[in-house]
């Protein structure tokens, strides 16, 4: 089912506008999914670029935003994309905000932990496998089937979302071409996944090789950033970056890593600037002076 976003604020504006004979400014579209993978109804918030038309032959990259609810990162990232489109800093793109359901992010963004402290603090955690299957088998196919998409896909994740984006990069790297990983919570499970990073690099390497054989121009771009964080956050981010650097060095430009800590920002303020910098790096050739 497809409808305009109508949060409580938009409903207020709608009624106010009706009383004053004014129009409401719609920002996006809502898609609802009866997810078999998650066993519940979930919501996607979708921003379409200016001049988008379903009958056009033009297709667009898709940017998937974790923590993509109306009151989370979706409107901010979609607004940033619109702004950067206005100045031709990145191609016009479709933005898909993947909404959370209540406190489901703690369940959806974490793999099962063996750490008693994690289990005590987040007793509903450990559902990332189902959520990744939801992305792969329900969300992405729905967007590709119903919207004018091309093959290029980007994922953005911060904090626990950065943990999930890292897990996808390690385990199912073919799902996305571009990864924007901000302040990833790789401390989860006593850093178990990042400490086993070398075991996952073979999967990433194999995927890149397969993609390169199909398209000689193919490249996978990975942007990692964090602000002024707890020392453990810096330690695990460095482990992630070091692992990708080793692989980058063997792939002749097929893997491009950008690591840009922004130490005058903190966990709460870094996302916008980091995403902006990531897009500048990914689409450097398209920047106009």
């Amino acid at each position: 089912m497809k409808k305009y976003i109508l949060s409580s604020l938009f409903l207020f504006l709608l009624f106010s506008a009706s009383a004053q004979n004014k129009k409401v400014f719609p920002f996006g579209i809502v898609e609802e999914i009866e997810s078999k993978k998650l066993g519940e109804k979930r919501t996607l918030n979708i921003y379409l670029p200016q001049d988008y038309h379903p009958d056009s032959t033009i297709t667009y990259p898709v940017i998937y935003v974790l923590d993509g609810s109306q009151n989370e990162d979706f409107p901010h990232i979609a607004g940033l994309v619109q702004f950067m489109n206005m100045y031709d800093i990145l191609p016009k793109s479709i933005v898909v905000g993947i909404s959370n359901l209540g406190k489901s992010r703690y369940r959806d963004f974490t793999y099962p932990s063996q750490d008693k402290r994690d289990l005590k603090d987040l007793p509903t955690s450990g559902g990332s496998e189902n959520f990744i299957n939801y992305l792969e088998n329900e969300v992405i196919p729905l967007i590709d089937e119903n919207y004018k998409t091309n093959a290029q896909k980007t994922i953005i994740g911060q904090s626990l979302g950065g943990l999930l984006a890292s897990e996808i990069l390690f385990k199912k790297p073919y799902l996305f071409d571009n990864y924007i990983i901000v302040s990833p919570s790789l401390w989860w499970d006593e850093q178990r996944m990042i400490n086993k990073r070398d075991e996952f690099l073979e999967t990433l390497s194999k995927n890149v090789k397969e993609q390169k054989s199909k398209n000689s121009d193919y490249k996978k771009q990975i942007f990692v950033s964090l602000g002024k964080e707890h020392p453990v956050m810096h330690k695990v981010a460095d482990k992630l970056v070091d692992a990708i650097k080793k692989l980058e060095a063997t792939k002749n430009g097929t893997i491009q890593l950008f690591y840009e800590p922004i130490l005058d920002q903190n966990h709460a303020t870094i996302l916008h600037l980091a995403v902006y910098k990531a897009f500048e790096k990914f689409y450097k050739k398209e920047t106009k002076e």
Side-chain angles (χ1 to χ4, degrees):
M1 182 178 179
K2 203 178 295 183
K3 56 182 181 289
Y4 288 118
I5 292 176
L6 292 176
S7 65
S8 57
L9 174 61
F10 279 89
L11 285 170
F12 172 78
L13 293 173
L14 177 63
F15 291 128
S16 299
S18 298
Q20 300 175 38
N21 195 28
K22 295 180 180 178
K23 294 181 179 179
V24 174
F25 177 69
F27 186 67
I29 293 171
V30 173
E31 289 275 10
E32 293 181 338
I33 301 179
E34 290 287 354
S35 174
K36 294 180 181 178
K37 301 297 180 182
L38 300 176
E40 58 199 17
K41 181 183 286 187
R42 299 299 291 259
T43 298
L44 304 175
N45 298 312
I46 302 164
Y47 166 80
L48 301 176
Q50 186 177 5
D51 301 326
Y52 177 94
H53 195 283
D55 295 329
S56 173
T57 59
I58 300 173
T59 59
Y60 301 91
V62 184
I63 299 165
Y64 290 89
V65 182
L66 300 170
D67 291 316
S69 300
Q70 297 171 19
N71 62 339
E72 295 180 305
D73 297 336
F74 168 70
H76 311 292
I77 298 302
L80 180 63
V81 169
Q82 186 276 334
F83 174 82
M84 297 182 82
N85 283 169
M86 188 165 59
Y87 291 100
D88 294 326
I89 300 173
L90 80 161
K92 290 183 177 180
S93 303
I94 296 169
V95 181
V96 178
I98 303 168
S99 293
N100 295 315
L101 183 64
K103 295 182 178 180
S104 66
R105 73 189 299 267
Y106 303 122
R107 176 197 70 192
D108 294 337
F109 294 177
T110 56
Y111 62 89
S113 176
Q114 300 175 37
D115 181 22
K116 293 180 180 179
R117 291 173 298 178
D118 292 344
L119 298 175
K120 180 181 178 181
D121 293 341
L122 298 176
T124 61
S125 62
S128 65
E129 182 177 356
N130 285 340
F131 190 77
I132 293 170
N133 285 334
Y134 161 67
L135 293 181
E136 180 177 10
N137 298 300
E138 296 181 328
V139 174
I140 293 174
L142 182 147
I143 297 302
D144 286 342
E145 182 178 345
N146 291 282
Y147 296 90
K148 306 293 291 186
T149 67
N150 60 34
Q152 189 174 96
K153 297 176 176 64
T154 298
I155 189 167
I156 300 172
Q158 181 189 17
S159 194
L160 284 178
L163 173 68
L164 182 74
S166 300
E167 184 178 358
I168 295 171
L169 176 65
F170 280 156
K171 297 179 180 179
K172 293 192 174 182
Y174 57 84
L175 286 181
F176 300 98
D177 305 290
N178 303 321
Y179 287 77
I180 301 176
I181 300 172
V182 182
S183 301
S185 297
L186 289 161
W187 50 261
W188 177 256
D189 189 28
E190 297 183 321
Q191 306 179 30
R192 206 173 309 274
M193 186 173 75
I194 194 62
N195 286 338
K196 293 183 177 181
R197 59 198 179 277
D198 291 339
E199 296 179 20
F200 297 113
L201 292 182
E202 185 177 347
T203 300
L204 177 55
S205 178
K206 182 179 178 181
N207 171 245
V208 169
K209 184 177 180 180
E210 290 174 351
Q211 295 291 339
K212 190 73 172 178
S213 68
K214 298 174 185 177
N215 177 4
S216 60
D217 294 328
Y218 179 81
K219 61 184 176 182
K220 187 176 292 290
Q221 301 182 112
I222 304 163
F223 181 94
V224 180
S225 184
L226 77 167
K228 187 177 181 180
E229 307 271 6
H230 188 281
V232 172
M233 294 283 281
H234 289 271
K235 179 181 178 181
V236 293
D238 287 342
K239 287 182 178 181
L240 175 64
V241 168
D242 288 345
I244 298 170
K245 278 182 177 178
K246 290 179 183 177
L247 190 58
E248 179 187 33
T250 68
K251 293 301 171 185
N252 298 321
T254 306
I255 292 178
Q256 291 188 313
L257 170 69
F258 305 97
Y259 182 35
E260 192 158 343
I262 309 173
L263 299 181
D264 61 347
Q265 301 296 311
N266 59 40
H267 198 77
T269 64
I270 189 175
L271 183 63
H272 283 72
L273 186 55
V275 173
Y276 188 96
K277 288 179 176 292
F279 285 143
E280 280 191 317
K281 298 292 187 182
F282 291 172
Y283 300 104
K284 186 175 181 180
K285 292 181 180 179
E286 302 195 25
T287 303
K288 292 184 177 180
E289 299 292 338

